[in-house]
Amino acid sequence: MLKHFIEPDDMTEREYDDLFRLAQAIASDPAKYAHACDGKILASLFFEPSTRTRMSFDAAMYRLGGQVLHLGDVKVSSMAKGETVRDTLHIVDQYADICAMRHPHAYTQHKAVDVLKNMPLINAGDGDHAHPTQTLADIFTIRKHKKAWSGLKIGFCGDLRYGRAVHSLFQFLNHYDNEFVFISPEGLNMPEEYLDTARCPYAEVDDLKGVIGDLDVLYMTRVQKERFISEEEAKRYEGSYLLNADVLNAASDDLIVLHPLPRVDEIDAEIDSDPRALYFEQAQNGMYMRMALILTLLEAKNEGHR
């Protein structure tokens, strides 16, 4: 059966349990999986800048023994001639076994996935909407250090309006017994479309230091300046929050600090050595989770063809 991963809700709780167990097994013994994808090709279609997500997908496939087929610069592809995303995907479907795709416009993958007959599609970020594989890295890290993904008080801080990583992680954690604190300046609040679906209690505040002491998890985000109508509007929010040693001193000893990266001016490098700062480990965990996801989707595809 051809199974895609477009939204955090595309897997059941049991499927997530299996996925995280596989990722942990991979992290514990990567060599065991070094040839799991021999002869397989991952198509990497990134229509928007990326460092961690793109490189971690590449590294994941190479570490599994597979190969990666890059679209490259859109300016030298047929899209520069007017080819649509749907047609590009339709063609790539003939060349690759699985595809990771990022696009600057929300819901692009959702609208094009129906053309695929041969390869599973993984959403590597669609505009300001979702980033479900980042959520995998987030939950893997939370689960590792908190031993659970429920019963937690989670603070989301920064640009909650355009932060797709925030939206996806909230969508996942909202299914469990958690509590949320949304910390943002006016104008960058969590969108109503997500608040309207909240099953868990939440609060909206603008003071990070005032609430950090109550949190189990703090999820920091940068201002998503590329999503704003103008650079001037984005600049109004620069420096809204700074997590430094002074603010972190008000937190509990077992707080964990996450960030999807890149950071800009919202986390001081002075706290990088603090054991509570897990954002670089989080990035490494993203590679293990993407390895597990690739294996899981390819296995589902293979089972459908038997």
Side-chain angles (χ1 to χ4, degrees):
M1 179 181 66
L2 200 60
K3 184 176 178 64
H4 308 287
F5 189 62
I6 310 296
E7 290 278 356
D9 289 344
D10 283 345
M11 288 192 179
T12 65
E13 184 173 356
R14 180 173 180 178
E15 287 173 328
Y16 271 118
D17 277 333
D18 291 341
L19 189 65
F20 289 122
R21 277 196 293 269
L22 177 56
Q24 184 57 59
I26 293 171
S28 299
D29 188 8
K32 181 179 178 181
Y33 299 87
H35 298 285
C37 285
D38 282 356
K40 301 297 184 182
I41 296 175
L42 167 75
S44 177
L45 305 186
F46 277 68
F47 301 97
E48 190 178 50
S50 174
T51 299
R52 272 149 302 280
T53 304
R54 180 171 174 170
M55 289 184 68
S56 66
F57 267 114
D58 288 4
M61 196 58 172
Y62 287 134
R63 287 180 180 274
L64 291 169
Q67 300 295 317
V68 181
L69 183 66
H70 285 286
L71 173 69
D73 191 337
V74 174
K75 295 177 182 178
V76 297
S77 75
S78 288
M79 298 197 78
K81 304 174 184 177
E83 184 173 70
T84 65
V85 171
R86 287 177 63 87
D87 281 357
T88 297
L89 269 179
H90 207 159
I91 294 301
V92 174
D93 192 35
Q94 318 305 315
Y95 301 154
D97 299 285
I98 190 166
C99 178
M101 176 178 164
R102 170 174 288 190
H103 200 278
H105 298 143
Y107 298 102
T108 297
Q109 289 88 328
H110 305 65
K111 297 173 183 176
V113 69
D114 63 293
V115 305
L116 300 178
K117 305 302 179 186
N118 303 305
M119 67 179 186
L121 180 64
I122 301 171
N123 182 359
D126 62 309
D128 61 3
H129 171 60
H131 195 351
T133 65
Q134 178 62 51
T135 297
L136 297 181
D138 302 339
I139 295 299
F140 186 91
T141 309
I142 292 171
R143 188 184 190 209
K144 177 180 177 181
H145 290 272
K146 291 296 183 180
K147 310 304 180 188
W149 58 53
S150 64
L152 301 172
K153 190 167 187 176
I154 302 110
F156 292 103
C157 180
D159 184 351
L160 310 187
R161 178 182 177 185
Y162 295 118
R164 61 188 172 200
V166 168
H167 302 162
S168 287
L169 183 56
F170 166 76
Q171 189 177 348
F172 181 97
L173 292 171
N174 188 39
H175 289 290
Y176 302 95
D177 181 22
N178 292 300
E179 184 176 351
F180 302 107
V181 181
F182 301 116
I183 311 154
S184 66
E186 186 62 37
L188 296 185
N189 312 84
M190 193 71 169
E192 289 296 328
E193 65 181 284
Y194 294 101
L195 296 181
D196 288 344
T197 67
R199 305 176 184 182
C200 305
Y202 69 86
E204 294 182 278
V205 302
D206 59 10
D207 177 19
L208 172 59
K209 191 172 183 179
V211 298
I212 194 171
D214 298 326
L215 302 178
D216 299 300
V217 179
L218 173 61
Y219 200 88
M220 296 292 296
T221 65
R222 68 180 175 90
V223 174
Q224 308 278 313
K225 62 181 182 180
E226 66 273 21
R227 312 283 178 211
F228 286 81
I229 297 174
S230 68
E231 188 175 343
E232 290 72 25
E233 183 187 8
K235 283 184 175 179
R236 289 198 297 117
Y237 295 105
E238 287 181 358
S240 295
Y241 297 100
L242 174 61
L243 181 62
N244 56 20
D246 177 61
V247 176
L248 197 54
N249 282 339
S252 66
D253 291 340
D254 62 351
L255 173 75
I256 62 172
V257 179
L258 304 180
H259 193 306
L261 301 177
R263 65 175 166 189
V264 181
D265 58 6
E266 63 281 349
I267 294 183
D268 196 310
E270 69 177 348
I271 73 164
D272 288 353
S273 59
D274 191 296
R276 294 170 289 186
L278 300 179
Y279 28 88
F280 293 118
E281 176 189 324
Q282 179 186 358
Q284 181 184 42
N285 290 338
M287 179 184 69
Y288 296 132
M289 285 306 312
R290 290 176 177 109
M291 291 173 74
L293 180 63
I294 289 169
L295 285 176
T296 298
L297 294 181
L298 286 178
E299 179 61 28
K301 172 187 170 182
N302 292 338
E303 287 179 353
H305 291 170
R306 288 172 187 167

